[in-house]
Amino acid sequence: TRLDWPMTEDRAVLRLNLISGLLDAVAYNVARKNTQLALYEVGRVFYQNQDPKTSLPTEENHIAFALSGEWTNKDWQGKAEKVDFYHAKGVVDNLVATLSLQDAVTFEKTNEMKDMHPGRTATIYLGEEKIGFVGQVHPSVAKAYDIPETYVAELNLEALLASDAGKL
């Protein structure tokens, strides 16, 4: 959906995801030699399902994060451990467990997302409803942003919070 009066020309449309902004932040930090990154954002995304001239877009609250660099640093006791898919999935698992939804959430390997690595990406389901994804940014996308291997996830926060399993 295009805005009539955007604040800047590069922000002239409503965002469809939070990941692109997080990848911009990763690129900004990597360009300044900050390579150990764990960033997150909670915000609204917009989907236009009908004619944009006659109806407003659907708004959803999402939560997303990006991880890049090393999970643990090298020290006298051990070696450095790079961030991988299982670290990103572990962050999602921790969020889901905090909301008491660990029994309702499942992960399914996917190859359908063109901007994500086909062998290192999973779709996240809450029951039968698709609520997000977790995985590695495709190497060609990482190269376009000029960033190292980066793992991201984005979840529909409204769906998580509205779930009957998460209500106390």
Side-chain angles (χ1 to χ4, degrees):
T1 302
R2 189 165 258 314
L3 299 174
D4 287 336
W5 298 291
M7 294 184 80
T8 62
E9 197 52 42
D10 61 334
R11 304 284 189 228
V13 295
L14 296 176
R15 63 185 176 183
L16 298 172
N17 63 59
L18 301 177
I19 298 297
S20 56
L22 286 173
L23 293 179
D24 286 339
V26 170
Y28 179 88
N29 278 279
V30 167
R32 285 153 184 79
K33 307 295 185 220
N34 298 320
T35 57
Q36 316 298 38
L37 299 169
L39 306 170
Y40 77 95
E41 181 178 358
V42 175
R44 293 192 179 278
V45 296
F46 304 87
Y47 301 107
Q48 188 67 53
N49 298 327
Q50 299 161 6
D51 182 16
K53 295 182 181 188
T54 60
S55 65
L56 294 173
T58 303
E59 297 181 37
E60 292 179 351
N61 277 322
H62 281 204
I63 184 167
F65 67 84
L67 303 173
S68 185
E70 295 177 348
W71 188 255
T72 57
N73 293 327
K74 181 180 184 267
D75 62 10
W76 65 276
Q77 290 180 322
K79 58 183 181 175
E81 182 181 359
K82 290 185 69 154
V83 171
D84 64 15
F85 172 82
Y86 297 102
H87 291 118
K89 183 181 177 291
V91 171
V92 174
D93 285 337
N94 195 6
L95 172 65
V96 167
T98 301
L99 296 171
S100 301
L101 295 172
Q102 60 272 20
D103 295 331
V105 172
T106 57
F107 297 84
E108 185 178 298
K109 183 179 175 182
T110 184
N111 294 327
E112 298 174 3
M113 301 177 69
K114 64 179 176 73
D115 292 337
M116 301 297 291
H117 193 293
R120 299 179 185 166
T121 302
T123 304
I124 304 169
Y125 291 93
L126 178 61
E128 300 293 319
E129 179 186 2
K130 179 180 173 182
I131 60 163
F133 66 92
V134 61
Q136 180 185 349
V137 174
H138 196 283
S140 63
V141 174
K143 184 177 180 182
Y145 276 94
D146 198 22
I147 58 175
E149 187 174 302
T150 302
Y151 292 84
V152 297
E154 184 165 342
L155 297 124
N156 182 336
L157 187 58
E158 287 180 4
L160 286 171
L161 297 176
S163 171
D164 288 336
K167 294 182 181 173
L168 299 173

